[in-house]
Coordinates of all heavy atoms in Angstrom, one line a residue:
M111 N 49.5 21.1 23.6 CA 48.2 21.5 23.2 C 47.7 20.7 22.0 O 46.6 20.3 21.9 CB 48.2 23.0 23.0 CG 46.8 23.5 22.7 SD 45.8 23.4 24.1 CE 44.4 24.4 23.7
K112 N 48.6 20.5 21.0 CA 48.2 19.8 19.8 C 47.9 18.3 20.2 O 47.0 17.7 19.6 CB 49.4 19.8 18.8 CG 49.5 21.1 18.0 CD 50.6 20.9 17.0 CE 50.7 22.1 16.1 NZ 51.6 22.0 15.0
K113 N 48.7 17.8 21.1 CA 48.5 16.4 21.5 C 47.1 16.2 22.2 O 46.4 15.3 21.9 CB 49.5 16.0 22.5 CG 49.5 14.5 22.8 CD 50.7 14.1 23.6 CE 50.8 12.6 23.7 NZ 52.0 12.2 24.4
M114 N 46.7 17.2 23.0 CA 45.3 17.1 23.6 C 44.2 17.3 22.6 O 43.2 16.6 22.7 CB 45.2 18.2 24.7 CG 46.0 17.9 25.9 SD 45.8 19.2 27.2 CE 44.1 19.0 27.6
T115 N 44.4 18.1 21.6 CA 43.4 18.3 20.6 C 43.3 17.0 19.7 O 42.2 16.6 19.4 CB 43.8 19.5 19.6 OG1 43.9 20.6 20.4 CG2 42.8 19.7 18.5
Y116 N 44.4 16.4 19.4 CA 44.5 15.2 18.7 C 43.7 14.1 19.5 O 42.9 13.3 18.9 CB 45.9 14.7 18.4 CG 46.0 13.4 17.7 CD1 45.7 13.3 16.4 CD2 46.4 12.3 18.4 CE1 45.8 12.0 15.8 CE2 46.5 11.1 17.8 CZ 46.2 10.9 16.5 OH 46.3 9.7 15.9
L117 N 44.0 13.9 20.8 CA 43.4 12.9 21.6 C 41.8 13.2 21.6 O 41.1 12.2 21.6 CB 44.0 12.9 23.0 CG 45.4 12.3 23.1 CD1 45.9 12.5 24.5 CD2 45.4 10.8 22.7
F118 N 41.5 14.4 21.8 CA 40.0 14.7 21.8 C 39.4 14.3 20.5 O 38.3 13.7 20.5 CB 39.8 16.2 22.0 CG 38.4 16.7 22.0 CD1 37.6 16.4 23.0 CD2 37.9 17.3 20.8 CE1 36.2 16.8 23.0 CE2 36.6 17.6 20.8 CZ 35.7 17.4 21.8
L119 N 40.0 14.6 19.4 CA 39.4 14.2 18.1 C 39.3 12.7 18.0 O 38.3 12.2 17.5 CB 40.2 14.8 17.0 CG 40.1 16.3 16.7 CD1 41.1 16.8 15.7 CD2 38.7 16.7 16.4
V120 N 40.3 12.0 18.4 CA 40.3 10.5 18.3 C 39.2 9.9 19.2 O 38.4 9.1 18.7 CB 41.7 9.9 18.7 CG1 41.6 8.4 18.9 CG2 42.8 10.3 17.7
F121 N 39.1 10.4 20.4 CA 38.0 9.9 21.3 C 36.6 10.3 20.8 O 35.7 9.5 20.9 CB 38.2 10.4 22.7 CG 39.4 9.7 23.4 CD1 40.5 10.3 23.9 CD2 39.3 8.3 23.6 CE1 41.5 9.7 24.5 CE2 40.3 7.6 24.3 CZ 41.4 8.3 24.7
S122 N 36.5 11.4 20.2 CA 35.2 11.9 19.7 C 34.8 11.0 18.5 O 33.6 10.5 18.4 CB 35.3 13.3 19.2 OG 35.5 14.2 20.2
C123 N 35.8 10.6 17.6 CA 35.5 9.8 16.5 C 35.1 8.4 17.0 O 34.2 7.7 16.5 CB 36.7 9.7 15.6 SG 36.9 11.2 14.6
L124 N 35.8 7.9 18.0 CA 35.5 6.5 18.5 C 34.1 6.5 19.1 O 33.4 5.5 19.0 CB 36.5 6.1 19.6 CG 37.9 5.8 19.0 CD1 38.9 5.5 20.2 CD2 37.8 4.6 18.1
A125 N 33.7 7.6 19.8 CA 32.4 7.6 20.4 C 31.3 7.6 19.4 O 30.3 7.0 19.5 CB 32.3 8.9 21.3
I126 N 31.5 8.4 18.3 CA 30.6 8.4 17.2 C 30.4 7.1 16.5 O 29.3 6.6 16.3 CB 30.9 9.5 16.2 CG1 30.7 10.9 16.8 CG2 30.1 9.4 14.9 CD1 31.3 12.0 16.0
L127 N 31.6 6.4 16.3 CA 31.5 5.1 15.6 C 30.9 4.0 16.5 O 30.2 3.2 16.0 CB 33.0 4.7 15.3 CG 33.6 5.4 14.2 CD1 35.1 5.0 14.0 CD2 32.9 5.3 12.9
S128 N 31.1 4.1 17.8 CA 30.5 3.1 18.7 C 29.0 3.3 18.8 O 28.2 2.3 19.0 CB 31.1 3.1 20.1 OG 30.7 4.3 20.7
C129 N 28.5 4.5 18.6 CA 27.0 4.7 18.6 C 26.4 4.3 17.3 O 25.2 4.2 17.2 CB 26.7 6.2 18.9 SG 27.2 6.7 20.5
G130 N 27.1 4.2 16.2 CA 26.6 3.9 14.9 C 25.9 2.6 14.8 O 25.0 2.5 14.0
S131 N 26.3 1.6 15.6 CA 25.7 0.3 15.4 C 24.2 0.3 15.7 O 23.4 -0.3 14.9 CB 26.4 -0.7 16.3 OG 26.2 -0.4 17.6
D132 N 23.7 1.0 16.7 CA 22.3 1.0 17.0 C 21.5 1.9 16.0 O 20.4 1.6 15.7 CB 22.0 1.5 18.4 CG 22.2 0.5 19.5 OD1 22.3 -0.7 19.1 OD2 22.3 0.8 20.6
S133 N 22.2 2.9 15.5 CA 21.5 3.8 14.5 C 21.3 3.1 13.2 O 20.4 3.5 12.4 CB 22.3 5.1 14.3 OG 23.5 4.8 13.7
D134 N 21.9 2.0 12.9 CA 21.7 1.2 11.7 C 20.5 0.3 11.8 O 20.1 -0.3 10.8 CB 23.0 0.4 11.3 CG 24.2 1.3 11.0 OD1 23.9 2.5 10.6 OD2 25.3 0.8 11.1
C135 N 20.0 0.2 13.0 CA 18.9 -0.7 13.2 C 17.6 -0.1 12.6 O 17.3 1.1 12.9 CB 18.7 -1.0 14.6 SG 20.1 -1.9 15.4
K136 N 16.8 -0.9 11.9 CA 15.5 -0.4 11.5 C 14.5 -0.6 12.7 O 14.5 -1.6 13.4 CB 15.0 -1.3 10.3 CG 15.8 -1.1 9.1 CD 15.3 -2.0 8.0 CE 16.2 -1.8 6.7 NZ 15.8 -2.7 5.7
T137 N 13.7 0.4 12.8 CA 12.7 0.4 13.9 C 11.6 -0.5 13.6 O 11.0 -0.4 12.5 CB 12.2 1.8 14.2 OG1 13.2 2.7 14.5 CG2 11.2 1.8 15.3
K138 N 11.3 -1.5 14.4 CA 10.2 -2.4 14.3 C 9.4 -2.4 15.5 O 9.9 -2.3 16.6 CB 10.8 -3.8 14.0 CG 11.5 -4.0 12.7 CD 10.5 -4.1 11.6 CE 11.2 -4.4 10.3 NZ 10.3 -4.4 9.1
H139 N 8.1 -2.6 15.3 CA 7.1 -2.7 16.4 C 6.3 -3.9 16.2 O 6.1 -4.4 15.1 CB 6.3 -1.4 16.5 CG 7.1 -0.2 16.7 ND1 7.7 0.2 17.9 CD2 7.5 0.8 15.9 CE1 8.4 1.3 17.8 NE2 8.3 1.7 16.5
C140 N 5.6 -4.4 17.2 CA 4.8 -5.6 17.1 C 3.7 -5.4 16.0 O 3.3 -6.4 15.4 CB 4.2 -5.9 18.4 SG 5.4 -6.5 19.6
D141 N 3.2 -4.2 15.9 CA 2.1 -4.0 14.9 C 2.6 -4.1 13.4 O 1.9 -4.0 12.5 CB 1.3 -2.7 15.1 CG 2.1 -1.5 15.1 OD1 3.4 -1.6 15.0 OD2 1.5 -0.4 15.2
D142 N 3.9 -4.2 13.3 CA 4.5 -4.4 11.9 C 4.4 -5.9 11.5 O 4.8 -6.2 10.3 CB 6.0 -4.0 11.9 CG 6.2 -2.5 12.1 OD1 5.4 -1.7 11.7 OD2 7.2 -2.2 12.8
F143 N 4.0 -6.8 12.4 CA 3.9 -8.2 12.1 C 2.5 -8.7 12.2 O 1.7 -8.2 12.9 CB 4.8 -9.0 13.0 CG 6.3 -8.5 13.0 CD1 6.7 -7.5 13.9 CD2 7.2 -9.0 12.1 CE1 8.0 -7.1 13.9 CE2 8.5 -8.5 12.0 CZ 8.9 -7.6 12.9
R144 N 2.2 -9.8 11.4 CA 0.9 -10.4 11.4 C 0.9 -11.5 12.5 O -0.1 -11.8 13.0 CB 0.5 -11.0 10.1 CG 0.3 -9.9 9.1 CD -0.3 -10.4 7.8 NE 0.7 -11.4 7.2 CZ 0.3 -12.3 6.3 NH1 -0.9 -12.4 5.9 NH2 1.2 -13.1 5.8
T145 N 2.0 -12.2 12.7 CA 2.1 -13.3 13.7 C 3.3 -13.2 14.6 O 4.2 -12.5 14.3 CB 2.2 -14.7 12.9 OG1 3.5 -14.7 12.3 CG2 1.1 -14.9 11.9
Q146 N 3.1 -13.8 15.7 CA 4.2 -13.8 16.7 C 5.5 -14.5 16.1 O 6.6 -14.1 16.4 CB 3.8 -14.6 18.0 CG 4.7 -14.4 19.2 CD 5.9 -15.4 19.2 OE1 5.8 -16.5 18.7 NE2 7.0 -15.0 19.7
K147 N 5.3 -15.5 15.3 CA 6.4 -16.2 14.7 C 7.2 -15.3 13.8 O 8.4 -15.3 13.9 CB 5.9 -17.4 13.9 CG 7.0 -18.3 13.3 CD 6.4 -19.4 12.5 CE 7.6 -20.2 11.9 NZ 7.1 -21.3 11.1
E148 N 6.6 -14.5 13.0 CA 7.3 -13.5 12.2 C 8.1 -12.5 13.1 O 9.3 -12.3 12.8 CB 6.3 -12.7 11.3 CG 5.7 -13.5 10.2 CD 4.6 -12.7 9.5 OE1 4.3 -11.5 10.0 OE2 4.2 -13.1 8.4
A149 N 7.5 -12.1 14.1 CA 8.1 -11.1 15.0 C 9.3 -11.8 15.7 O 10.4 -11.2 15.8 CB 7.1 -10.6 16.1
Q150 N 9.1 -13.1 16.1 CA 10.2 -13.8 16.8 C 11.4 -14.0 15.9 O 12.5 -13.9 16.3 CB 9.7 -15.2 17.3 CG 10.6 -15.9 18.2 CD 10.8 -15.2 19.5 OE1 9.8 -14.8 20.2 NE2 12.0 -15.1 20.0
E151 N 11.1 -14.3 14.6 CA 12.2 -14.5 13.7 C 13.0 -13.3 13.5 O 14.3 -13.3 13.4 CB 11.7 -15.0 12.3 CG 11.2 -16.5 12.4 CD 10.4 -16.9 11.1 OE1 10.2 -16.1 10.2 OE2 10.1 -18.1 11.1
T152 N 12.3 -12.2 13.4 CA 13.0 -10.9 13.3 C 13.8 -10.6 14.5 O 15.0 -10.2 14.5 CB 12.0 -9.7 13.0 OG1 11.4 -10.0 11.7 CG2 12.7 -8.4 12.9
Y153 N 13.2 -10.7 15.7 CA 13.9 -10.5 16.9 C 15.1 -11.4 17.1 O 16.2 -10.9 17.5 CB 12.9 -10.8 18.1 CG 13.5 -10.6 19.5 CD1 13.9 -9.4 20.0 CD2 13.6 -11.8 20.3 CE1 14.4 -9.3 21.2 CE2 14.1 -11.7 21.5 CZ 14.5 -10.5 22.0 OH 15.1 -10.4 23.3
D154 N 15.0 -12.6 16.8 CA 16.1 -13.6 16.9 C 17.2 -13.2 15.9 O 18.4 -13.6 16.2 CB 15.6 -15.0 16.7 CG 14.8 -15.5 17.9 OD1 14.9 -14.9 19.0 OD2 14.1 -16.5 17.7
S155 N 16.9 -12.6 14.8 CA 18.0 -12.3 13.8 C 18.9 -11.2 14.4 O 20.1 -11.2 13.9 CB 17.4 -11.8 12.5 OG 16.8 -10.5 12.7
N156 N 18.5 -10.4 15.3 CA 19.4 -9.4 15.9 C 18.7 -8.8 17.1 O 18.0 -7.8 17.1 CB 19.7 -8.3 14.9 CG 20.8 -7.3 15.4 OD1 21.0 -7.2 16.6 ND2 21.5 -6.7 14.5
R157 N 18.9 -9.5 18.3 CA 18.2 -9.1 19.5 C 18.5 -7.7 20.0 O 17.7 -7.0 20.6 CB 18.4 -10.1 20.6 CG 17.7 -11.4 20.3 CD 18.0 -12.4 21.4 NE 17.2 -13.6 21.1 CZ 16.6 -14.4 22.0 NH1 16.7 -14.1 23.3 NH2 15.9 -15.4 21.6
K158 N 19.7 -7.2 19.7 CA 20.1 -5.9 20.1 C 19.3 -4.8 19.3 O 18.8 -3.9 19.9 CB 21.6 -5.7 19.9 CG 22.1 -4.4 20.4 CD 23.6 -4.2 20.2 CE 24.1 -2.9 20.6 NZ 25.5 -2.7 20.4
C159 N 19.2 -5.0 18.0 CA 18.5 -4.1 17.2 C 17.0 -4.1 17.5 O 16.3 -3.0 17.5 CB 18.6 -4.5 15.7 SG 20.0 -3.7 14.9
Y160 N 16.4 -5.3 17.7 CA 15.0 -5.4 17.8 C 14.5 -5.6 19.2 O 13.5 -6.2 19.5 CB 14.5 -6.5 16.9 CG 14.9 -6.2 15.4 CD1 15.7 -7.1 14.8 CD2 14.4 -5.1 14.8 CE1 16.1 -6.9 13.4 CE2 14.8 -4.8 13.5 CZ 15.6 -5.7 12.8 OH 16.0 -5.5 11.5
K161 N 15.2 -5.1 20.2 CA 14.9 -5.3 21.6 C 13.5 -4.7 21.9 O 12.8 -5.1 22.9 CB 15.9 -4.7 22.5 CG 16.2 -3.3 22.4 CD 17.4 -2.8 23.2 CE 17.8 -1.4 22.8 NZ 19.1 -1.1 23.3
S162 N 13.0 -3.8 21.1 CA 11.7 -3.2 21.4 C 10.6 -4.3 21.2 O 9.4 -4.1 21.7 CB 11.4 -2.0 20.5 OG 11.4 -2.4 19.1
L163 N 10.8 -5.3 20.5 CA 9.9 -6.4 20.3 C 9.7 -7.3 21.5 O 8.7 -8.1 21.5 CB 10.3 -7.3 19.1 CG 10.4 -6.5 17.7 CD1 10.8 -7.5 16.6 CD2 9.1 -5.8 17.3
D164 N 10.5 -7.2 22.5 CA 10.5 -8.0 23.7 C 10.4 -7.0 24.9 O 11.3 -6.8 25.6 CB 11.7 -8.9 23.8 CG 11.7 -9.8 25.0 OD1 10.6 -10.0 25.6 OD2 12.7 -10.3 25.4
S165 N 9.2 -6.6 25.1 CA 9.0 -5.5 26.2 C 9.3 -6.0 27.6 O 9.8 -5.2 28.4 CB 7.6 -5.0 26.1 OG 6.7 -6.0 26.3
D166 N 9.2 -7.3 27.9 CA 9.4 -7.7 29.2 C 10.8 -8.4 29.4 O 11.2 -8.9 30.4 CB 8.3 -8.6 29.8 CG 8.1 -9.8 29.0 OD1 8.8 -10.1 28.0 OD2 7.1 -10.6 29.3
G167 N 11.5 -8.5 28.3 CA 12.9 -9.1 28.3 C 13.0 -10.6 28.6 O 14.0 -11.0 29.0
D168 N 11.9 -11.3 28.3 CA 12.0 -12.7 28.5 C 12.4 -13.6 27.3 O 12.4 -14.8 27.3 CB 10.6 -13.2 29.0 CG 9.5 -13.2 28.0 OD1 9.7 -12.6 26.9 OD2 8.4 -13.7 28.3
G169 N 12.7 -12.9 26.2 CA 13.2 -13.6 25.0 C 12.1 -14.0 24.0 O 12.4 -14.5 23.0
V170 N 10.9 -13.6 24.4 CA 9.7 -13.9 23.5 C 9.2 -12.6 22.9 O 8.8 -11.7 23.7 CB 8.6 -14.6 24.3 CG1 7.4 -14.9 23.3 CG2 9.1 -15.9 24.9
A171 N 9.3 -12.5 21.6 CA 8.9 -11.3 21.0 C 7.4 -11.2 20.8 O 6.7 -12.2 20.5 CB 9.5 -11.2 19.6
C172 N 6.8 -10.0 21.0 CA 5.4 -9.7 20.7 C 4.4 -10.8 21.1 O 3.7 -11.4 20.4 CB 5.2 -9.5 19.2 SG 6.3 -8.2 18.5
E173 N 4.5 -11.0 22.4 CA 3.6 -12.1 23.0 C 2.2 -11.9 22.8 O 1.4 -12.8 22.8 CB 3.9 -12.2 24.5 CG 5.3 -12.7 24.8 CD 5.8 -12.6 26.2 OE1 6.1 -11.5 26.6 OE2 5.7 -13.6 26.9
S174 N 1.8 -10.7 22.5 CA 0.3 -10.4 22.3 C -0.2 -10.8 20.9 O -1.4 -11.0 20.7 CB 0.1 -8.9 22.4 OG 0.8 -8.2 21.4
L175 N 0.7 -11.1 20.0 CA 0.3 -11.6 18.7 C 0.1 -13.1 18.7 O 0.7 -13.8 19.5 CB 1.4 -11.3 17.7 CG 1.7 -9.9 17.3 CD1 2.9 -9.8 16.4 CD2 0.5 -9.2 16.7
S176 N -0.8 -13.6 17.9 CA -1.0 -15.0 17.8 C -0.5 -15.6 16.5 O -0.3 -14.8 15.6 CB -2.5 -15.3 17.9 OG -3.2 -14.7 16.9
D177 N -0.3 -16.9 16.4 CA 0.2 -17.5 15.2 C -0.9 -18.0 14.3 O -1.9 -18.3 14.4 CB 1.1 -18.6 15.5 CG 2.5 -18.1 15.9 OD1 2.9 -17.0 15.5 OD2 3.2 -18.8 16.7

């Protein structure tokens, strides 16, 4: 029984730690930027964190903004 409790705690901690990476990301939206270039630079700095800047997934951030 102790072994099962220990394993449960270990797996719970690992699950929490693995989720922590996305929670460290600052939320950004296209209206936070004046130009597409600024948005692209932010997106390129961490595509996983700023995936909301590329709504269609083509690698171009905030296509509606102009430079």
Side-chain angles (χ1 to χ4, degrees):
M111 185 67 166
K112 282 185 178 183
K113 189 173 189 176
M114 287 182 64
T115 302
Y116 176 75
L117 288 174
F118 175 78
L119 288 173
V120 169
F121 285 118
S122 296
C123 289
L124 289 174
I126 290 169
L127 289 174
S128 68
C129 293
S131 61
D132 281 345
S133 65
D134 293 339
C135 298
K136 294 179 182 175
T137 303
K138 293 283 187 182
H139 301 283
C140 291
D141 59 354
D142 294 325
F143 302 95
R144 291 187 303 159
T145 66
Q146 190 278 330
K147 183 179 178 181
E148 290 175 350
Q150 189 69 46
E151 288 171 355
T152 299
Y153 175 69
D154 288 340
S155 73
N156 189 333
R157 289 182 177 217
K158 184 177 178 184
C159 270
Y160 302 117
K161 60 187 168 196
S162 64
L163 299 178
D164 181 19
S165 60
D166 61 4
D168 68 351
V170 180
C172 302
E173 294 171 279
S174 62
L175 294 175
S176 60
D177 283 331

